[in-house]
Each structure stands twice: as structure tokens, then as C-alpha cells.
Amino acid sequence: MNIVVCVKQVPDTWAEKRLTPEDKTVDRDGVDSVMNELDEYAVEEALRIQEATGGPESTTVTVLTMGPEKATETIRKALSMGADQAVHLTDPALKGSDAVQTSYAMAKALGTIEWDLVICGSEATDARTSLLPAMLAEQLGVAQATFARKVEVDGQTVRIERLTDSGYDKVEATLPAIVSVVEKINEPRYPSFKGIMAAKKKPLTTLSLGDAGIEADKVGLANAWSTVNEAEAAPPRQAGEIVKDEGDGGTKLADYLASKKFI
Amino acid sequence: MAEILVLVEHLDGNVKKVTTELLTKARQLGEPSAVFVGSGFDTAKARLAEFGAAKVYVAADEELTNYAVTPKVAVLAKLVQEKSPAAVLIASGPDGKEVAARLGVRTNSGVISDAVDLKDGLVAEQSIFGGATIVQSSVASGTPIITMRPNSTPPEAAAGDASEEPVAVELSDTDKLAKIVDRVVEQKSGRPELTEASIVVSGGRGMGGADNFAIIEKLADALGAAVGASRAATDAGWYPHQNQVGQTGKTVSPQLYIAAGISGAIQHRAGMQTSKTIVAINKDSEAPIFELVDFGVVGDLFDVVPQLTEEVVKRKG
Ligand SMILES: Cc1cc2nc3c(=O)[nH]c(=O)nc-3n(C[C@H](O)[C@H](O)[C@H](O)COP(=O)(O)OP(=O)(O)OC[C@H]3O[C@@H](n4cnc5c(N)ncnc54)[C@H](O)[C@@H]3O)c2cc1C
Ligand SMILES: Nc1ncnc2c1ncn2[C@@H]1O[C@H](COP(=O)(O)O)[C@@H](O)[C@H]1O
């Protein structure tokens, strides 16, 4: 079986994020970057499925990233966790692509790889859209099994538990399929020293637009279907009042809530 | 006036509050038509009429409930093609976002997710980076497909006809690739739903155990609030995962959010930062949650919360 894990490089979780004043895309230069946290769970799940389906002899795990050159750091991390090889779709023309365009480009990149199962995180922390996995399924015309807290692959069948508002749905699909995972699914491993060393020698293929057969007028900021017209910092929250409980903390809090008409 | 489609969120015909918000918003921008997929339209009709739906497109075929996401996409795609609406409004949430995602690709349309407001010219306001930045976005191609966060528009009643127009769709083979084989409902508490509640009371690791959540529930019941939890509390099994607030849990923006024994990790903030008023109780005065609060009490929640509950009960009479 061939598994592809989609990992995205995003600004560090705790970093102050901002949009660039020029073109209102996420500013990726001024901040430290990391692998999108949820994608670590996706990588871990791919590795566990690989282990459960006969190991590297019978199952290959390929990492796929679309992003600037510096996103190779994130690819290296996924490889050092244990993925076998990587594909990096990178081209200046992709900058500023919106969600639909990203899904088109990623679908094209997947066209250069053999795969049965694609595993994504359920959300990227930079834009927080949760759109890509479903869009990929639509672009590729394959099954979508998303928001999974549990994934099981059994021959050509994938079974997941999809989180819902009131519990979960058991969803069953036939491969090929796109899966996205939530953080309940596993505990991602840390790369070992051996893993880090091995990662340096693992194959990494770089794709440009042309390599993937992506039409230039279908991607990039200038062609985006949804655009940010204006961005401004939200008015800062006024510093709140903080009191120390001296036996009357609950009462003081009740006074406050009453002053705001909540009680 | 331009027709605006609103996808109805419902459970067997019980219409969720967010749908009444979207109908209200759609009315400000054009003429709202509701789109109802599944069974229970008879139950839903009165409420959709109450909030001004002129028309309701009803796709009631039993088969449409057997699959996740795709049936709603198929119904909406057909309507987009036949009716050329000015926009499609969908409630934000895992299902809604995915319906929007696939619909965008299927109809060659731009998608905006998680709008907190929608203005003339279909300009969507989004609150990003945990509320730090506000952006105005619009769709440049196709039919704008916009998901809106619950609690972003106060619902206002206005009579509409809600006249029924049946829609028949054939699901394609691709739409049937992922089948729902079982639906498991894990809990029903009788409290308001988390994303819809105007007050949310949440407990975290500081609760120390499942049984102690009773004091959070007591406060919630005194205030008519929903109960939330941090991931630390849901992972420990103290409270169900559906109640998790945060990046990978629910995004809430109630009028009042009360956090007890929650440190305020970035992933938690991502789900509650846009609450109108924020209050916290934490014994550590350095806890990051205090950076966000309008009012904070540094103290032991086991003293402060019961005292607060008692005061609320007393004052509410
Ligand atoms: C991919 C990913 C996704 C995540 N998604 C979410 C999410 O959706 N939601 C979420 O909440 N977290 C999420 N997290 C986890 C998040 O990083 C934090 O670990 C979590 O929010 C911490 O929960 P907590 O505040 O309850 O616990 P802690 O950080 O341990 O804080 C407990 C607090 O309780 C206080 N306390 C203890 N005892 C008392 C007492 N008796 N009285 C008063 N105060 C007391 C302590 O001072 C402390 O500040 C996610 C993490 C990752 C990696
Ligand atoms: N540029 C990208 N490169 C690789 N994977 C991505 C990219 N963007 C999104 N993804 C994947 O899609 C998931 C959801 O992202 P999003 O829809 O942007 O919230 C992420 O967790 C990744 O697995």
C-alpha cells in the first residue's frame, strides 16, 4: 500500500501571527516556522498503519508539502519521524493561492505519486480553514473520511470514527480515500537521533508547476477566487480587573456579573 | 431581490439556532431561501417561516442521510446551477466547512470560512489568528460560498412563507464512496448546546477529577449556561470530548465565558477568544488566561465557584 501524508509548515503556534501589509498573505518570514501540530498526528497515524500492514516492505509512506523552499525543514521532521520519502511542491507562482487553488495544485502533485490513502491533519493553525481535505477528495473524485479519531485499514476498506456534534459516526469507505485526523487519534513520536540522521539520506523530489502539470493561471494570489481586501489589528482587549480571593472571591465575581447584567 | 441560499442545520427537523441567525443575515442582504436536507421538514417549517424564509427547497430522500457531507453538496450544487443564487450561507462547524469546501470545488466558486459578519456587497468579516486580526474578504469567482460562525448575528423574527419546493437529486457514485454505517450519540445533557449558548462555563485540569465537574454543572445550571472543558479535562476522561473548547474542539463566542482551572493555552484560546466577556478563576496569578480576562479571580476554584453559584442562585431569586 502507498500512503501519502500532507504536512504543512505554519508559523510557530505561540508566535504572534500577522498578514503582510503588501499582499495580505500570512507573513512567514518574520516568525519561526514549525510543522502544523495536527500534521504530526497525521504522520504518526501513517507510520502506525505502515507498521500494521507489514512495515516498509509492503507499505510506503510519502510526505507531501506545498510551500516555500524553507518548508523543507518540516519535510525533514516528517522524514526523521520515520516517513520514507518526500515530495515538495514549491514554486513562486503558488504564493497566495487560496483554498480551492491549493487543493487543485495538491491534487496535481498527487498525480505524480502512487497512492491509495492520503492522510491530512484536520486543520492548519495558520488560516484554520479545515477546507483542504474535503476539497482534495472532491478534486480527485475519491472517498472522504475526515475528522477521524480512529482509523483502521483492512485490505481495500478504511473504517473511521468521525467526530460529530453529538458523538461520532462510523464511516466506511473503499480505497483510494482522503482521511483527516484529530488530535485524539494518537500520541505523535519524537524523532530519534537515528531517525534524524537517516532522514538526511531519504529521497526528496522537488516539483515545480510544470513538473506537476499545474496551469499557472489557476493558482497564485492574482488568480485567487477568494481574496482578503483589508486587514487590521483587532482593538486590543482592555486589561481586565484581577482580584485575589480573600474569602469573598465568589461574591466579588457575582458583583461583577451583576454589574454586567448577567445575573 | 437576489436569492440567498441558507443550508438548514437540524436534527430530525429541530432547527438549530445558528440557522435562524443565518436567515436573519440573509434577509439583510437579499431574499432568503432555506435548503432542507433530510427528514423532518414538517417540524422545521414553522421555525423557518418565523425567521423569514420565503421558500424552502426540501430534499427529503431517505438515501441522503446515509452519507457524510456529499448529499448536501449534491443538493446545493444543483440549486446553485438552477437558481444562480447571490450566495450560499452555511453554518461553520466541521460538517458545514466540508460541505462548503466540496461545493466550492464542484461549482468553481470561491469559499470563505468562519465569517463573523457579512456586509453589503457580500463582504465577509473574519476574525483570524485567535482574534488578533480582523480581515474583510470577498469572493471573486463563481457563487460566494460562505460559512458563518454561530453567535455572530442576533436572530430576529420576520414572517416568511416557507413555501415548500421539493428537490430531487440523484447521488453520483462518487457521492456514495463514504458510507455512514452507524451513528453514535454519546450524551444528551438537557443544557444549551455549546456553540449556541450565550453563557459557557468551562473546567480544566484544575478540576482534578470527573466528579468535581458537578460544581461546574451547578454553576452552569444556575446561569442557564452550557458546560465546556479543556483538552486536559476531556483527554483525562473527566468530561465528554464533544464539550471540548479550542482549536480541535468547538469554537464558541458566547456573551460570557467562565474558565475555571484552565491555564489558557493557545489551543484553548483559539476556541474562546472571541467571547464578548471573559472571566477566569485560577490559583496561579501567572496563568496566561488572565491576559484575556475582563475579570479574574486568583484563588482556589473549589472555594470560589461554589460561592459564586450560591450568590447567583440567591440574586436570581
Ligand atoms: C494539536 C493540539 C490541539 C489541541 N487542542 C486543544 C483544544 O481544542 N482545546 C484545549 O483546551 N486544549 C487543546 N490542546 C491542549 C493545550 O495545549 C493544553 O494542553 C490544554 O488546553 C491545557 O488544559 P488546562 O488549561 O485545563 O490544563 P493546564 O494547562 O494543566 O492548566 C490547569 C490550570 O488549572 C489551575 N488550577 C489547578 N488547580 C486549581 C484550583 N484548585 N483552583 C484554581 N485553579 C487551579 C492551574 O493553576 C493551571 O493554570 C491542544 C494541543 C495540541 C497539541
Ligand atoms: N500547503 C499544504 N501542504 C501540505 N498539506 C497541506 C497544505 N495545506 C493544508 N494541508 C493539509 O490539509 C490539512 C488541513 O488544512 P487546512 O484546510 O488549511 O486547515 C492540514 O492539516 C494538512 O494536512
Side-chain angles (χ1 to χ4, degrees):
Chain A
M1 185 169 54
N2 292 297
I3 306 177
V4 173
V5 199
C6 296
V7 303
K8 185 178 189 185
Q9 189 179 49
V10 297
D12 187 14
T13 320
W14 283 95
E16 292 241 348
K17 294 173 225 61
R18 54 173 219 138
L19 299 179
T20 61
E22 299 80 41
D23 60 7
K24 305 191 180 61
T25 56
V26 177
D27 187 352
R28 297 177 196 278
D29 292 335
V31 292
D32 287 342
S33 296
V34 296
M35 185 191 304
N36 179 41
E37 271 178 333
L38 274 164
D39 300 349
E40 294 182 24
Y41 295 77
V43 174
E44 177 65 35
E45 197 57 24
L47 296 173
R48 289 188 187 193
I49 294 171
Q50 180 184 48
E51 282 151 20
T53 53
E57 269 75 62
S58 46
T59 299
T60 307
V61 176
T62 306
V63 177
L64 172 61
T65 291
M66 164 174 148
E69 218 167 292
K70 129 173 163 181
T72 44
E73 300 159 12
T74 287
I75 292 177
R76 287 290 166 208
K77 171 151 187 195
L79 292 174
S80 59
M81 285 173 76
D84 302 305
Q85 56 190 38
V87 175
H88 185 180
L89 173 60
T90 184
D91 197 301
L94 291 164
K95 187 172 186 288
S97 295
D98 67 13
V100 178
Q101 295 172 316
T102 301
S103 69
Y104 159 73
M106 297 268 295
K108 284 289 187 187
L110 281 167
T112 70
I113 308 169
E114 259 185 68
W115 59 273
D116 308 283
L117 180 65
V118 172
I119 307 182
C120 297
S122 53
E123 180 177 278
T125 53
D126 51 354
R128 292 197 67 207
T129 67
S130 287
L131 296 173
L132 189 88
M135 282 183 172
L136 263 186
E138 181 75 26
Q139 295 276 9
L140 296 159
V142 302
Q144 168 198 342
T146 43
F147 289 100
R149 69 163 187 194
K150 192 171 168 203
V151 178
E152 240 175 52
V153 180
D154 176 5
Q156 287 302 301
T157 306
V158 54
R159 289 188 194 89
I160 68 148
E161 289 181 7
R162 171 184 173 84
L163 288 189
T164 63
D165 272 352
S166 48
Y168 62 93
D169 286 349
K170 293 188 174 167
V171 176
E172 206 173 281
T174 305
L175 298 180
I178 311 286
V179 164
S180 80
V181 301
V182 300
E183 97 292 351
K184 305 275 173 225
I185 196 157
N186 58 40
E187 198 49 61
R189 68 194 69 185
Y190 289 103
S192 65
F193 179 70
K194 212 173 123 216
I196 294 169
M197 295 314 286
K200 296 185 174 149
K201 298 196 204 78
K202 288 178 177 172
L204 189 162
T205 311
T206 304
L207 298 179
S208 64
L209 284 197
D211 300 332
I214 296 168
E215 293 170 45
D217 61 358
K218 286 194 176 171
V219 292
L221 186 63
N223 304 306
W225 289 352
S226 60
T227 55
V228 174
N229 315 324
E230 280 171 55
E232 56 179 7
R237 274 196 106 89
Q238 293 231 308
E241 185 184 348
I242 297 185
V243 300
K244 205 169 156 353
D245 179 32
E246 275 153 357
D248 58 353
T251 310
K252 282 192 172 147
L253 191 42
D255 290 343
Y256 174 79
L257 296 183
S259 77
K260 294 280 173 190
K261 311 245 183 311
F262 287 115
I263 45 178
Chain B
M1 252 198 314
E3 183 173 20
I4 295 183
L5 300 182
V6 172
L7 179 65
V8 178
E9 290 262 314
H10 69 97
L11 250 179
D12 300 325
N14 290 307
V15 176
K16 299 211 174 154
K17 181 174 155 225
V18 64
T19 298
T20 65
E21 297 168 9
L22 297 196
L23 285 171
T24 304
K25 188 41 86 184
R27 236 166 42 223
Q28 294 164 13
L29 301 161
E31 185 170 82
S33 296
V35 180
F36 187 96
V37 182
S39 58
F41 173 65
D42 290 342
T43 313
K45 181 171 167 137
R47 202 154 159 77
L48 297 174
E50 184 189 344
F51 285 89
K55 247 185 257 169
V56 187
Y57 298 109
V58 181
D61 191 346
E62 185 69 43
E63 205 200 8
L64 299 177
T65 55
N66 295 340
Y67 308 93
V69 182
T70 48
K72 290 174 185 160
V73 178
V75 173
L76 287 170
K78 184 177 159 117
L79 290 169
V80 164
Q81 210 203 354
E82 288 175 4
K83 313 283 172 189
S84 313
V88 181
L89 306 189
I90 300 172
S92 273
D95 253 50
K97 285 182 177 183
E98 295 199 326
V99 171
R102 298 194 72 134
L103 185 62
V105 172
R106 200 169 292 189
T107 62
N108 287 324
S109 299
V111 181
I112 292 177
S113 86
D114 261 343
V116 294
D117 196 7
L118 199 56
K119 300 168 200 163
D120 279 348
L122 295 166
V123 174
E125 182 166 304
Q126 291 163 290
S127 163
I128 61 168
F129 303 151
T133 302
I134 294 171
V135 304
Q136 314 292 332
S137 315
S138 53
V139 166
S141 163
T143 307
I145 295 164
I146 298 164
T147 79
M148 292 200 69
R149 276 203 194 152
N151 270 351
S152 34
T153 311
E156 285 163 25
D161 289 342
S163 58
E164 178 178 355
E165 239 183 75
V167 188
V169 282
E170 275 291 314
L171 292 183
S172 69
D173 290 343
T174 340
D175 286 335
K176 296 187 201 167
L177 288 170
K179 196 166 168 45
I180 298 176
V181 291
D182 195 10
R183 287 177 198 276
V184 182
V185 173
E186 283 187 321
Q187 80 138 23
K188 273 221 151 66
S189 67
R191 294 192 181 85
E193 198 176 311
L194 200 47
T195 54
E196 299 190 342
S198 48
I199 303 181
V200 174
V201 184
S202 291
R205 199 193 307 275
M207 298 309 301
D211 296 344
N212 296 336
F213 259 87
I215 72 167
I216 291 289
E217 293 183 334
K218 271 194 195 129
L219 175 58
D221 292 342
L223 289 164
V227 175
S230 72
R231 178 181 169 200
T234 59
D235 275 6
W238 299 346
Y239 223 70
H241 72 79
Q242 301 95 274
N243 297 70
Q244 180 172 320
V245 170
Q247 190 205 322
T248 44
K250 298 204 165 129
T251 302
V252 301
S253 40
Q255 297 299 322
L256 172 64
Y257 188 85
I258 303 180
I262 293 178
S263 63
I266 196 108
Q267 297 92 348
H268 187 76
R269 293 183 189 200
M272 47 67 75
Q273 202 149 13
T274 51
S275 306
K276 310 298 175 297
T277 299
I278 298 174
V279 163
I281 301 136
N282 195 305
K283 65 181 180 190
D284 173 10
S285 66
E286 304 283 310
I289 190 84
F290 284 125
E291 293 163 15
L292 289 185
V293 299
D294 298 285
F295 194 89
V297 180
V298 180
D300 193 319
L301 70 92
F302 294 104
D303 299 328
V304 178
V305 175
Q307 188 179 61
L308 172 60
T309 308
E310 204 178 299
E311 285 290 328
V312 172
V313 171
K314 205 158 67 190
R315 295 182 198 202
K316 278 197 159 178

